Coordinates of all heavy atoms in Angstrom, one line a residue:
G133 N 5.3 17.6 -1.5 CA 3.9 17.2 -1.6 C 3.2 17.5 -2.9 O 3.8 17.7 -3.9
H134 N 1.9 17.5 -2.8 CA 1.0 17.4 -3.9 C -0.1 18.4 -3.8 O -0.8 18.4 -2.7 CB 0.5 16.0 -4.0 CG -0.1 15.6 -5.3 ND1 -0.1 14.3 -5.7 CD2 -0.7 16.3 -6.3 CE1 -0.6 14.2 -6.9 NE2 -1.0 15.4 -7.3
F135 N -0.4 19.2 -4.7 CA -1.6 20.1 -4.7 C -2.5 19.6 -5.8 O -2.1 19.4 -6.9 CB -1.2 21.6 -5.0 CG -2.2 22.6 -4.7 CD1 -2.4 23.1 -3.5 CD2 -3.1 23.0 -5.8 CE1 -3.4 24.0 -3.2 CE2 -4.1 23.9 -5.5 CZ -4.3 24.4 -4.2
I136 N -3.8 19.5 -5.4 CA -4.8 19.0 -6.4 C -6.0 20.1 -6.4 O -6.3 20.6 -5.3 CB -5.4 17.7 -6.0 CG1 -4.2 16.6 -5.9 CG2 -6.5 17.2 -6.9 CD1 -4.7 15.2 -5.5
L137 N -6.5 20.3 -7.5 CA -7.6 21.3 -7.6 C -8.7 20.8 -8.5 O -8.5 20.1 -9.4 CB -7.2 22.7 -8.0 CG -6.6 22.8 -9.4 CD1 -7.4 23.8 -10.2 CD2 -5.1 23.1 -9.4
T138 N -10.0 21.2 -8.1 CA -11.1 20.9 -9.0 C -11.4 22.0 -9.9 O -11.8 23.1 -9.5 CB -12.4 20.6 -8.1 OG1 -12.1 19.6 -7.1 CG2 -13.5 20.2 -9.0
S139 N -11.1 21.8 -11.2 CA -11.5 22.7 -12.2 C -12.8 22.1 -12.8 O -13.7 21.7 -12.0 CB -10.4 22.9 -13.3 OG -10.9 23.8 -14.3
S140 N -12.9 22.0 -14.1 CA -14.2 21.5 -14.7 C -14.0 21.3 -16.2 O -13.1 22.0 -16.8 CB -15.3 22.6 -14.5 OG -16.5 22.2 -15.2
A141 N -14.8 20.4 -16.7 CA -14.8 20.3 -18.2 C -15.2 21.7 -18.8 O -14.7 22.0 -19.9 CB -15.8 19.3 -18.6
A142 N -15.9 22.5 -18.0 CA -16.3 23.8 -18.5 C -15.1 24.8 -18.5 O -15.2 25.9 -19.1 CB -17.3 24.4 -17.5
G143 N -14.0 24.4 -17.9 CA -12.7 25.2 -18.0 C -11.8 24.7 -19.1 O -10.7 25.2 -19.2
R144 N -12.3 23.9 -20.0 CA -11.5 23.4 -21.1 C -12.1 23.7 -22.5 O -11.6 23.4 -23.5 CB -11.3 21.9 -21.0 CG -10.6 21.4 -19.7 CD -10.6 19.9 -19.6 NE -9.4 19.3 -20.3 CZ -9.5 18.7 -21.5 NH1 -10.6 18.7 -22.2 NH2 -8.4 18.2 -22.1
K145 N -13.3 24.3 -22.5 CA -14.0 24.5 -23.7 C -14.9 25.7 -23.6 O -15.4 26.0 -22.5 CB -14.9 23.3 -24.2 CG -16.0 23.0 -23.2 CD -16.7 21.7 -23.6 CE -17.8 21.3 -22.6 NZ -18.4 20.0 -22.8
P146 N -15.1 26.5 -24.7 CA -16.0 27.7 -24.6 C -17.5 27.2 -24.4 O -17.9 26.3 -25.1 CB -15.8 28.3 -26.0 CG -14.6 27.8 -26.6 CD -14.5 26.4 -26.0
I147 N -18.2 27.9 -23.5 CA -19.6 27.7 -23.3 C -20.3 29.1 -23.3 O -19.9 29.9 -22.5 CB -19.9 27.0 -21.9 CG1 -19.2 25.6 -21.9 CG2 -21.4 26.8 -21.7 CD1 -19.2 24.9 -20.5
G148 N -21.2 29.3 -24.2 CA -21.7 30.6 -24.4 C -22.2 31.3 -23.2 O -23.1 30.8 -22.5
G149 N -21.6 32.4 -22.9 CA -22.0 33.2 -21.8 C -21.8 32.7 -20.4 O -22.3 33.2 -19.4
S150 N -20.9 31.6 -20.3 CA -20.7 31.0 -18.9 C -19.7 31.7 -18.1 O -18.5 31.5 -18.4 CB -20.4 29.5 -19.1 OG -20.2 29.0 -17.8
I151 N -20.1 32.5 -17.2 CA -19.1 33.2 -16.3 C -18.5 32.1 -15.3 O -17.4 32.2 -15.0 CB -19.8 34.3 -15.4 CG1 -20.6 35.3 -16.3 CG2 -18.8 35.0 -14.6 CD1 -19.8 36.0 -17.4
Y152 N -19.4 31.1 -14.9 CA -18.9 30.0 -14.2 C -17.7 29.3 -14.9 O -16.7 29.1 -14.4 CB -20.0 29.0 -13.9 CG -19.5 27.7 -13.4 CD1 -19.0 27.5 -12.1 CD2 -19.4 26.6 -14.3 CE1 -18.6 26.2 -11.7 CE2 -18.9 25.3 -13.9 CZ -18.5 25.2 -12.6 OH -18.0 24.0 -12.2
G153 N -18.0 29.0 -16.2 CA -16.9 28.4 -17.0 C -15.7 29.2 -17.1 O -14.6 28.7 -17.0
A154 N -15.8 30.5 -17.1 CA -14.6 31.4 -17.2 C -13.8 31.3 -15.9 O -12.6 31.3 -15.9 CB -15.1 32.8 -17.4
T155 N -14.5 31.2 -14.7 CA -13.8 31.0 -13.4 C -13.0 29.6 -13.5 O -11.9 29.5 -12.9 CB -14.7 31.0 -12.2 OG1 -15.6 29.9 -12.2 CG2 -15.5 32.3 -12.2
K156 N -13.6 28.7 -14.1 CA -12.9 27.4 -14.2 C -11.8 27.3 -15.2 O -10.9 26.5 -15.1 CB -14.0 26.3 -14.4 CG -14.9 26.0 -13.3 CD -14.1 25.6 -12.0 CE -15.0 25.2 -10.8 NZ -14.2 24.8 -9.6
W157 N -11.9 28.2 -16.2 CA -10.7 28.4 -17.1 C -9.6 29.0 -16.3 O -8.4 28.6 -16.5 CB -11.1 29.5 -18.2 CG -11.7 28.9 -19.4 CD1 -13.1 28.9 -19.7 CD2 -11.1 28.3 -20.5 NE1 -13.3 28.4 -20.9 CE2 -12.1 28.0 -21.5 CE3 -9.8 28.0 -20.9 CZ2 -11.8 27.3 -22.7 CZ3 -9.5 27.4 -22.1 CH2 -10.5 27.0 -23.0
F158 N -9.9 29.9 -15.4 CA -8.8 30.4 -14.5 C -8.2 29.2 -13.7 O -7.0 29.1 -13.6 CB -9.4 31.5 -13.5 CG -8.3 31.9 -12.5 CD1 -7.5 33.0 -12.8 CD2 -8.1 31.3 -11.3 CE1 -6.5 33.4 -12.0 CE2 -7.1 31.6 -10.4 CZ -6.3 32.7 -10.8
A159 N -9.1 28.4 -13.1 CA -8.6 27.3 -12.2 C -7.8 26.4 -13.1 O -6.7 25.9 -12.6 CB -9.8 26.6 -11.6
Y160 N -8.2 26.1 -14.3 CA -7.5 25.2 -15.2 C -6.1 25.8 -15.5 O -5.1 25.1 -15.4 CB -8.3 25.0 -16.4 CG -7.7 23.9 -17.4 CD1 -7.9 22.6 -17.2 CD2 -6.9 24.3 -18.5 CE1 -7.3 21.6 -18.0 CE2 -6.3 23.4 -19.3 CZ -6.5 22.1 -19.1 OH -6.0 21.1 -19.9
G161 N -6.0 27.0 -15.9 CA -4.8 27.7 -16.2 C -3.9 27.8 -15.0 O -2.6 27.5 -15.1
F162 N -4.4 28.1 -13.8 CA -3.7 28.2 -12.6 C -3.0 26.9 -12.3 O -1.8 26.8 -11.9 CB -4.5 28.7 -11.5 CG -3.8 28.7 -10.1 CD1 -2.8 29.7 -9.9 CD2 -4.1 27.8 -9.1 CE1 -2.1 29.7 -8.7 CE2 -3.5 27.8 -7.9 CZ -2.5 28.8 -7.7
G163 N -3.8 25.8 -12.4 CA -3.3 24.5 -12.1 C -2.1 24.1 -13.0 O -1.1 23.5 -12.5
Q164 N -2.2 24.4 -14.3 CA -1.1 24.2 -15.2 C 0.2 25.0 -14.8 O 1.3 24.5 -14.8 CB -1.5 24.5 -16.6 CG -2.7 23.9 -17.2 CD -2.7 22.3 -17.1 OE1 -1.8 21.8 -17.7 NE2 -3.7 21.7 -16.5
N165 N -0.1 26.2 -14.5 CA 1.1 27.1 -14.1 C 1.7 26.6 -12.7 O 2.9 26.7 -12.6 CB 0.6 28.5 -14.0 CG 0.2 29.2 -15.3 OD1 0.4 28.5 -16.3 ND2 -0.3 30.4 -15.3
L166 N 0.8 26.3 -11.8 CA 1.3 25.8 -10.5 C 2.1 24.5 -10.6 O 3.1 24.3 -9.9 CB 0.1 25.6 -9.5 CG 0.5 25.3 -8.1 CD1 1.4 26.4 -7.5 CD2 -0.7 25.0 -7.2

Side-chain angles (χ1 to χ4, degrees):
H134 197 152
F135 191 88
I136 302 178
L137 63 125
T138 304
S139 177
S140 171
R144 299 175 87 257
K145 62 186 178 186
I147 299 173
S150 178
I151 308 301
Y152 165 77
T155 67
K156 290 302 186 176
W157 275 98
F158 176 91
Y160 185 82
F162 175 71
Q164 306 300 307
N165 291 355
L166 185 61

